[in-house]
Amino acid sequence: MRFPEAVKSLDVRDPLEVIARVASREQLERISRLPNKRLLLDIAEIVLVAQPASIFVHTGSEDDREYVRRRALASKEEIPSKVPRHTVHFDGPLDLARDKANTRILVGSGERIAMVNTLERDRGLAEVSQLFRGVMAGREMFVGLYVYGPEGSPLSLYGVQVTDSAYVIHSEDILYRNGYRAFLENPDLDYMLFIHSAGERDERGWSKNVEKRRIYIDLHGNSVYSVNTQYAGNTVGLKKLALRLAVYKGLREGWLAEHMFIIGMRGPGGRVTYFTGAFPAGCGKTATTMIADTVVGDDLAIIREIEGEPRAINPEVGMFGIIDGVNPADDPEIYGILVNPEAEIIFCNVLLTEDGEVWWRGKPTEPRRGLNYAGEWWPGKVGADGREILPSHPNARFTVSIRLLEKLDPRIDDPMGVPVSGFIFGGRDPATLPPVVEAFSWQHGIVTMGAALESERTAAVLGETGVMELNPFAILDFLSISPGKFTELHLRFAEKLVKVPRVFQVNYFLRGKDGGYLAEKRDKIVWLRWMEHRVHGELGAIPSPIGYIPLYEDLCELFDKHLSKDFPENLYEEMFAMRTSQLLSKIERVRSAYEQDPDAPLELFEILGEQYRRVENLRSRYGDRVSPFKLDKR
Ligand code: SPV
Ligand code: MN
């Protein structure tokens, strides 16, 4: 039972009878062809509780896709722009981002998960049963069946989205592969279930009861409940809601669900070497994806051991990307897609000008009067707090197919995924870590680079800026298990591997004495090329206390070859200096965070301890700031 208290009357022998009360003949026929008994029961139960007026089951046909687009416009969830295939969706001023406080992992009574927001399962289910009661009255209920990965892949999962939002289904049509056929062919597919309702909406289409917004993740039932919200990070089930379920499933089955891009780098002889990379929001994840040679995925990865090799798939086929700042000079490929009239795009929380132009910060035009995330907008408009209202929101986004990328990797649909040669971890760190470091080993990298990933709090989040926040594997917001367990899962994962990936750490945000960034944006390509060569054993490195760092001569060559620029020795010295006191403080912060997590493996403390001693040694010999030229070359 999905709704424990609400459903007393479901006749388990005949879910179709319940569904027939709201389904047209055609829709009933679609549903009755589905051989999955449990799925029919789930749908019937949701119908009984949420009481929709009608039901639509998506078969994945072009007609159905078109129907969903039309319904999103008819319900005013999406507004047309002057480009027919470009629509605009507004979430409402109080619903512009993920709601961390009201997103809870449901757990057994008395159970706690370190660093994860939980709620007692019985209470949570009772609460959502109440919130979903009659919530779809008078509305159409959409049922979308999706494959979370390439069709026929042993790495893929399956998801069923039930929602009263055509926008949510439209987004999923762009972001995921339809799975109606897979469900027809396989009577006992195990699936994740996402139940969503935007709740009551006001005349502008915004969810009215955002104070009753709830996103509850039920690991036990492999399902997620989301209500009184529209923002895709809270509602589009297969995006971040599925990630929590997948992390948990991966823990039980010994594989990794990651908040990572998957990219390919070309090397000598036409080889392509694949990397996955985890970065917190706003730390260069998309930028790194876009400068890679090929792209398999920009946000999520499922990684499993197959015949001794780690293989990664992208469960998605679309991007839900930040649009703020995307401009023709810095982001030519994405910008080109966003202004391509042939591309099907949903723009979220941008400005829609009176004459129908979609405007965001980064467009060469000036913003003009129109509609935005806070209602009517005009240049100079100020909000109730006296502050100017930005024309387009900093978390404004675009939803578009990844297949439009010129760099799309041809193996995106490969059921066996791509072999992963390197894991990259990156955060925003102004003062401590060099631009690129390679771990001594998988274990060393997983602990000191993944589990210990920190990022500077940016101005977008309330509170003091400049504070370093722990964000293990850049996945803290999406963890359904403790960071300690997630770390342990990674450590054990490599034991099955014959080919163990290298682990790297990057930091694009190191600042110099004058406060400016030491590296240029485009320098990323050099760090990537260095990693690619290291994977193939083609370049040497210097063992520093925190891992291998590049040799000056090698970087000179790479800067010259790939960016045609000089790389001054003093810049290298500043970038790759060991800031020993800062490094020690970092280890201490990380250690004390994991001391609060009873699941943290002993190995984590051992590896942190060894790193501490190495850095401490260096500090006692050379002091606070140690030039890389003082380190022994190998
Ligand atoms: C992120 O914040 O990491 C995203 C967007 O990819 S959201 O879907 O909101 O999680
Ligand atoms: Mn993400």
Side-chain angles (χ1 to χ4, degrees), residues 164-180:
D164 56 12
S165 165
Y167 158 70
V168 166
I169 291 286
H170 185 196
S171 300
E172 287 174 333
D173 280 352
I174 296 173
L175 294 169
Y176 306 99
R177 299 162 174 96
N178 190 280
Y180 183 71

Side-chain angles (χ1 to χ4, degrees), residues 91 94-95 99 102 131 135 139 197-202 205-214 227-230:
D91 291 305
L94 301 174
D95 198 20
D99 181 353
N102 288 304
L131 290 170
V135 78
R139 297 208 202 142
S197 170
E200 262 184 274
R201 294 164 62 217
D202 66 15
W206 302 340
S207 289
K208 245 184 182 170
N209 304 315
V210 284
E211 78 291 346
K212 290 191 192 137
R213 175 170 52 208
R214 298 290 181 269
V227 64
N228 294 318
T229 175
Q230 298 188 45

Side-chain angles (χ1 to χ4, degrees), residues 604-633:
L604 177 143
F605 297 104
E606 285 166 7
I607 292 170
L608 289 178
E610 288 160 12
Q611 180 121 319
Y612 194 94
R613 282 189 293 279
R614 283 191 302 268
V615 178
E616 174 90 308
N617 259 332
L618 190 73
R619 184 170 70 165
S620 66
R621 277 172 67 197
Y622 297 112
D624 245 16
R625 195 186 172 93
V626 184
S627 159
F629 293 117
K630 292 229 169 75
L631 304 170
D632 301 322
K633 285 189 190 182

Side-chain angles (χ1 to χ4, degrees), residues 87-93 95-97 167 206 230-232 320 323-324 346-352 358-361 371-374 390-398:
T87 58
V88 177
H89 166 81
F90 295 116
D91 291 305
D95 198 20
L96 290 158
Y167 158 70
W206 302 340
Q230 298 188 45
Y231 174 67
F320 176 59
I323 201 167
D324 191 45
I346 311 173
F347 294 91
C348 300
N349 307 319
V350 293
L351 170 68
L352 178 63
V358 175
W359 191 94
W360 64 88
R361 197 177 64 89
L371 272 183
N372 80 351
Y373 61 91
L390 294 173
S392 169
H393 193 268
N395 194 34
R397 293 196 173 241
F398 59 85

Side-chain angles (χ1 to χ4, degrees), residues 123-182:
R123 251 182 73 193
L125 291 182
E127 195 183 350
V128 287
S129 296
Q130 222 36 55
L131 290 170
F132 271 94
R133 199 188 287 267
V135 78
M136 295 186 192
R139 297 208 202 142
E140 182 170 18
M141 178 173 115
F142 299 85
V143 179
L145 312 159
Y146 298 94
V147 190
Y148 200 57
E151 271 186 60
S153 168
L155 289 82
S156 291
L157 307 179
Y158 297 86
V160 175
Q161 176 80 59
V162 180
T163 176
D164 56 12
S165 165
Y167 158 70
V168 166
I169 291 286
H170 185 196
S171 300
E172 287 174 333
D173 280 352
I174 296 173
L175 294 169
Y176 306 99
R177 299 162 174 96
N178 190 280
Y180 183 71
R181 199 178 54 215

Side-chain angles (χ1 to χ4, degrees), residues 22-51:
V22 295
S24 68
R25 268 201 14 221
E26 187 192 348
Q27 295 302 322
L28 190 63
E29 210 269 323
R30 292 175 176 198
I31 298 172
S32 51
R33 283 174 62 205
L34 292 167
N36 193 318
K37 293 272 175 333
R38 211 186 116 215
L39 179 57
L40 297 189
L41 275 173
D42 278 338
I43 295 172
E45 191 180 335
I46 300 166
V47 165
L48 273 179
V49 174
Q51 297 164 23

Side-chain angles (χ1 to χ4, degrees), residues 97-98 231-234 239-240 259 281 285 299 320 395 397 478:
R98 282 185 276 107
Y231 174 67
N234 296 326
K239 186 108 201 133
K240 293 312 198 326
H259 187 214
K285 184 175 178 181
D299 196 37
F320 176 59
N395 194 34
R397 293 196 173 241
F478 314 111

